[in-house]
Amino acid sequence: MHAPAPGWSVAADVVVVGSGVAGLTAALRCEAAGLTTVVVTKARLDDGSTRWAQGGIAAALGDGDTPEQHLDDTLVAGAGLCDEEAVRILVTEGPDAVRRLIATGAHFDESAEGGLALTREGGHHRRRIAHAGGDATGAEISRALVDAVRARGLRTVENALVLDLLTDAEGRTAGVTLHVMGEGQHDGVGAVHAPAVVLATGGMGQVFSATTNPAVSTGDGVALALRAGAEVSDLEFVQFHPTVLFLGPDAEGQQPLVSEAVRGEGAHLVDADGVRFMQGQHELAELAPRDIVAKGIMRRMRERNTEHMYLDARHFGAEMWERRFPTILAACRAHGIDPVTEPVPVAPAAHYASGGVRTDSRGRTTVPGLYACGEVACTGVHGANRLASNSLLEGLVYAERIAADIAARRGGQEPPARAPRPLPQADRPAQPLLAPEARFAIQRIMTRGAGVLRSESSLARAADQLEALHAEARDALDENGKTAEPGVDTWEATNLLCVARVLVAAARLREETRGCHWREDRPERDDTRWRRHVVVRLNPDRTLAVHPTDGTDFPPTLPPQAPQEQ
């Protein structure tokens, strides 16, 4: 992207971009392996999506539960597109990863007997969700990891927006450029030179008008990876959380989440007449996988010509609400709704990207030295629809695997211990920047054309409108040699346009309904043609190369001459 030349630089063995559960876990494990590690984060260390996670973290930790049962539930939720080996890694390594998180300092709620208090969420047949502070699991995990990072003295750069990947003459990772927003150790554009870069930048929910994601979730990691030549996959599978507090039809930005754990404890979805409409639609009723519940809500809204449904948990009573769901209770009351005495209005909103930067089982992308974990990555775990509370676990497990791979390669001098010499940024054609107000245009386009309900006509219209924004920025650069003024607002808008174009292109190609991808004009799942992944690359001329895989298996991320997974 257009940006001033770096005015300062630091060197490290590893730079981790992001400070959620995935990023900080990777950083702590790299530091423990003796690697010089720098953490770069867009706001403060505890300001990412992890802090907002309410429900908990899923792992087979309860009596009678097994990794195999957890695997089965994950595969069902993923609607035929999960990588079974990736899921097996998740569920088998997950319990010990949670125990290591506890050893790091995270305190989870306990039962009367002194063990972990476990609950259920949608798609789970057993109580296997560990939670903290009732409904403040993410905040507690973030606190524990941030405390550990500070206690170990890891170098951190806060208030820093990552811009682009640095590479050497052979295309190997050489670090990142970033812009520090006036409140960090450095100011302006700088660089961290490192032979390994770990993207843990979170999601891209801000591509839609209403989302549960914080304002920082603008798809920066996916956009950076695309500009660097990496492949992304399955970006059409954006999960819309079924139960987000409805604040009105014109509400924009981050919306309060009403955790699935509320339904796990026995809340009911009802319409305005108090009728439970999920019964008979799925064996688990309100606890069906999220895509099924979101579709059930949308169908009932259409039938009743209304903009929301209700979540009824009045039978919990005040004591249970205050003890088990204090965060949600406070959020509802702040908006004039008391769930102790009245049903809570809810509607689906953009929540989680099941796809992302394509990785293998060690978190390696298609660019040597570039890794990805957490929501920015597509490991194959989530398939077409993420199972509730698997996201925090995926961040833990795959961050640990990335750290182990980097440490092993660092010990064997592959990649070299010192960062390769990066090519000058001027050797690359710069991405033209969009004006800041384009952000809101993109969000409206995506909400109308690529939201919960999609069709060929809505997606085609969205594609045309996004292409017009892209062409406007490109033509301004070509004709006048100018672009929008470089800055956080213009960089974020440009990243949002990049991920929006990819999402729409993938959604147009997938002519079926599967998981959280709901095509009104193609309402049936088509395993014969579409039990496969959609992979996208960004061509040098900024056009998109979009193609389906040959089957459910991903091709290797590394070229044949590079070491492969055994």
Side-chain angles (χ1 to χ4, degrees), residues 471-501:
E472 182 179 344
R474 182 192 61 220
D475 293 343
L477 177 66
D478 290 345
E479 293 174 8
N480 305 315
K482 295 181 180 179
T483 183
E485 188 68 25
V488 173
D489 290 344
T490 56
W491 289 322
E492 286 185 334
T494 303
N495 284 338
L496 284 171
L497 178 61
C498 179
V499 297
R501 292 175 66 219

Side-chain angles (χ1 to χ4, degrees), residues 426-487:
D427 287 0
R428 303 178 185 177
Q431 171 79 43
L433 301 180
L434 274 70
E437 56 268 23
R439 175 180 186 139
F440 305 105
I442 293 164
Q443 290 171 335
R444 289 190 291 269
I445 291 167
M446 293 299 289
T447 298
R448 289 194 300 261
V452 180
L453 297 177
R454 305 165 179 176
S455 66
E456 171 54 32
S457 60
S458 77
L459 290 166
R461 185 166 55 250
D464 289 343
Q465 293 169 334
L466 293 172
E467 186 56 37
L469 291 175
H470 177 69
E472 182 179 344
R474 182 192 61 220
D475 293 343
L477 177 66
D478 290 345
E479 293 174 8
N480 305 315
K482 295 181 180 179
T483 183
E485 188 68 25

Side-chain angles (χ1 to χ4, degrees), residues 284-314:
L284 296 176
E286 284 94 347
L287 284 178
R290 286 179 178 173
D291 64 311
I292 294 171
V293 179
K295 291 170 186 174
I297 291 173
M298 292 297 294
R299 289 192 185 102
R300 194 66 161 192
M301 285 164 53
R302 282 179 155 188
E303 291 170 5
R304 302 300 300 270
N305 192 28
T306 185
E307 294 172 316
H308 63 82
M309 288 288 113
Y310 293 93
L311 191 63
D312 192 352
R314 290 175 290 180

Side-chain angles (χ1 to χ4, degrees), residues 163-185:
L163 299 177
D164 283 302
L165 188 74
L166 294 170
T167 54
D168 65 10
E170 297 177 351
R172 183 179 288 279
T173 294
V176 293
T177 56
L178 61 150
H179 177 262
V180 182
M181 294 172 257
E183 301 177 34
Q185 183 175 354

Side-chain angles (χ1 to χ4, degrees), residues 115-128:
L116 285 176
L118 301 175
T119 190
R120 277 183 68 197
E121 291 185 359
H124 294 273
H125 282 80
R126 285 192 173 271
R127 299 178 76 89
R128 65 167 66 96

